[in-house]
Amino acid sequence: MDSRDDMKYGDENTPPTNEITIAHHDRAVWETRETYGPAGVVSVILVMPQFLDRFPRVVEGASGAGFWKGLLTAMIELGALIGALNAGYFADLLSRKFSLFIAVCVFALGSALQTGSVDYAMLTVARFSGGLGIGMLSTVAPLYISEISPPETRGALLVLEEFAIVTGIVIAFWITYGTQYISSEWSWRLPFLLQLLPGIVLAAGVFMLPFSPRWLVSKNRDEEALSTLSKLRRVPRDDPRVQQEWVDIRAEVAFQKEANQEKHPKLYGNALIYYSPTLFQTMGLDHGMQLIMSGVLNIAQLVGVSTSIWTMDAFGRRPLLLGGSIIMTISHIIIAILVGKFSNNWPAHRSEGWTSVAFLFIYMLGFGASWGPVPWAMPSEIFPSSLRAKGVALSTCSNWLNNFIIKQTGVHSSKWTMFSETQVAAWMKRGDNELRRGLREG
């Protein structure tokens, strides 16, 4: 974490430091620092008759339908994994700003190919291409936000990114829910096409964004970094707080370069969004109610994410992860028990079926308030600036790798859902211990 965390722009008495000195601090090393969600689209498209007529390979009952459906949904995660792996390199080489533009272009290509897909192979490749762009965006966007935002609002701004993502998923779902009533193939092609709109807006907006001050300093463009900081903080270049932050960044970059020379002479995904119609079918709901409840499920996630804008700074990251994991585990155990006992005859057990639905919403609220936003915010906060791009990339890769495994496996049994959530609780505790040890050492 940066020394900037100790400096707020509400404090005008922070004295400037004119010399760069290297010191070690127990909290940090410092010196004198889709949107239009594919999940919202695909969850409805996968059950559209118009889509299934074009791609009979994923129709329920067809040979290997479960595998091909899982592969289709998982390809975007596989692409995102590879995109995230390369994002750190491009972010350091080309800048955070231009990496965002490249990511949008790759995503737009994938969206165009998905819109024009004529067979299963083309659609699978198109989703992989779209995933490459999403993986890069999911790495570079939080990295860029963390480097240009003031320390006192950084956490809230990172949560707002997740809030925007979930908002996009909700909007995408209900647009796709409406297009299912189009009798032609445009019922599923139009949602893929509409993904291009926010991409075009982002691509145009990138050129109005400033370069990251930290990246500018790493390229020895110190004066430009100072000017950028002044514009971002909306205070003059000679303001003591801007001067102090500028010196902090330069000093930290110098320290990290020296440290790197001595050494060498960036989660969890939510498969329920993709498979929610299938899960609601398992719980005994008819086709129309399956889609409606899936849309409401996305809204529940949005409500959960909105609470984290305040709770993440008020209660801290770790308590949210612990509390969210407990809520999610309990909810899934109850759902697994109810589905396992009563799924063979839901009409005779309507109350148990709706109890399962209720706990599914509780799960989604817990996820949205904890494991949804927090893992996107933490990686960009805990890595030193010289490793931030690569650290966030690796953290994001972990998210997309686990998403790929879960989507390819598919949420086809209550035993799997119960097992996966129980394991998250155990892995989270181990990860927390490793995180604290890393912070003490770094």
Side-chain angles (χ1 to χ4, degrees):
M1 202 175 294
D2 300 332
S3 60
R4 288 179 286 175
D5 292 342
D6 299 323
M7 176 180 62
K8 294 185 179 181
Y9 274 79
D11 181 8
E12 298 183 358
N13 299 318
T14 305
T17 303
N18 296 321
E19 296 181 358
I20 298 176
T21 57
I22 296 177
H24 191 274
H25 193 276
D26 60 346
R27 284 179 55 201
V29 176
W30 60 299
E31 297 134 312
T32 13
R33 180 188 85 121
E34 176 190 307
T35 57
Y36 192 86
V41 173
V42 172
S43 59
V44 182
I45 286 178
L46 285 174
V47 296
M48 282 187 184
Q50 303 93 320
F51 177 81
L52 297 176
D53 289 342
R54 167 63 68 173
F55 305 102
R57 186 174 294 186
V58 299
V59 175
E60 185 175 354
S63 177
F67 172 81
W68 297 118
K69 181 179 179 181
L71 181 62
L72 181 65
T73 58
M75 283 305 291
I76 205 161
E77 266 72 34
L78 180 60
L81 170 64
I82 296 175
L85 277 172
N86 293 281
Y89 170 78
F90 287 112
D92 284 338
L93 179 66
L94 303 176
S95 80
R96 285 57 165 146
K97 165 177 176 174
F98 290 138
S99 295
L100 287 172
F101 180 76
I102 293 173
V104 171
C105 292
V106 175
F107 172 77
L109 174 63
S111 296
L113 291 174
Q114 289 177 79
T115 303
S117 293
V118 296
D119 55 31
Y120 179 86
M122 182 177 178
L123 181 59
T124 303
V125 172
R127 286 183 58 77
F128 176 80
S129 175
L132 288 173
I134 291 174
M136 293 183 67
L137 286 168
S138 64
T139 298
V140 181
L143 170 67
Y144 180 74
I145 292 171
S146 70
E147 292 188 344
I148 66 171
S149 57
E152 63 270 20
T153 61
R154 188 182 304 141
L157 290 174
L158 288 167
V159 171
L160 281 174
E161 183 206 5
E162 172 69 9
F163 182 82
I165 291 172
V166 178
T167 301
I169 291 174
V170 171
I171 294 173
F173 180 92
W174 289 109
I175 288 177
T176 312
Y177 180 83
T179 63
Q180 70 173 317
Y181 296 105
I182 300 175
S183 58
S184 68
E185 289 189 348
W186 280 106
S187 60
W188 59 268
R189 293 188 189 274
L190 183 59
F192 284 138
L193 180 63
L194 290 177
Q195 292 180 130
L196 288 169
L197 296 181
I200 292 172
V201 172
L202 179 57
V206 161
F207 292 98
M208 294 184 286
L209 297 175
F211 287 104
S212 162
R214 196 268 159 203
W215 180 82
L216 289 170
V217 170
S218 71
K219 301 301 180 182
N220 299 317
R221 296 160 64 176
D222 294 356
E223 290 299 321
E224 190 176 347
L226 177 59
S227 298
T228 300
L229 276 175
S230 175
K231 292 178 181 178
L232 287 170
R233 306 298 180 251
R234 297 185 178 182
V235 294
R237 285 167 55 102
D238 58 358
D239 185 279
R241 294 160 295 176
V242 169
Q243 289 287 325
Q244 181 66 58
E245 188 172 5
W246 182 53
V247 170
D248 287 344
I249 294 174
R250 290 162 56 208
E252 185 182 12
V253 170
F255 178 86
Q256 294 298 336
K257 285 182 177 179
E258 180 180 331
N260 288 337
Q261 288 175 356
E262 293 177 358
K263 292 179 181 179
H264 309 289
K266 93 354 120 57
L267 284 226
Y268 179 67
N270 195 359
L272 289 179
I273 297 175
Y274 288 86
Y275 292 104
S276 53
T278 303
L279 288 173
F280 283 124
Q281 181 182 19
T282 302
M283 294 173 182
L285 277 63
D286 59 37
H287 176 75
M289 187 59 68
Q290 291 167 29
L291 295 181
I292 292 174
M293 295 304 287
S294 296
V296 178
L297 192 68
N298 283 323
I299 295 175
Q301 184 185 8
L302 179 62
V303 172
V305 171
S306 65
T307 66
S308 65
I309 296 175
W310 172 72
T311 58
M312 196 162 77
D313 287 328
F315 298 108
R317 281 61 164 159
R318 182 170 178 265
L320 285 183
L321 294 178
L322 286 168
S325 185
I326 292 171
I327 292 173
M328 291 157 62
T329 301
I330 292 174
S331 298
H332 258 298
I333 290 175
I334 294 174
I335 293 170
I337 292 173
L338 291 175
V339 172
K341 291 185 65 176
F342 304 110
S343 60
N344 291 330
N345 189 13
W346 282 122
H349 302 91
R350 302 295 295 177
S351 60
E352 288 83 356
W354 282 107
T355 300
S356 300
V357 172
F359 274 98
L360 197 56
F361 284 112
I362 293 173
Y363 164 88
M364 190 58 77
L365 283 169
F367 175 82
S370 57
W371 284 92
V374 176
W376 293 104
M378 285 189 68
S380 59
E381 295 179 323
I382 63 177
F383 287 103
S385 61
S386 65
L387 301 176
R388 188 171 296 127
K390 298 177 180 64
V392 173
L394 288 175
S395 301
T396 307
C397 285
S398 173
N399 169 73
W400 293 118
L401 176 61
N402 285 289
N403 267 276
F404 173 75
I405 294 172
I406 292 173
K407 302 308 184 301
Q408 179 58 26
T409 304
V411 186
H412 299 302
S413 69
S414 59
K415 292 180 180 179
W416 167 253
T417 58
M418 180 174 68
F419 169 78
S420 63
E421 288 305 320
T422 304
Q423 289 303 304
V424 165
W427 292 336
M428 185 272 303
K429 179 61 178 176
R430 179 180 178 183
D432 176 69
N433 292 335
E434 293 295 324
L435 171 61
R436 286 186 292 171
R437 186 178 69 180
L439 290 174
R440 287 196 300 266
E441 295 174 352

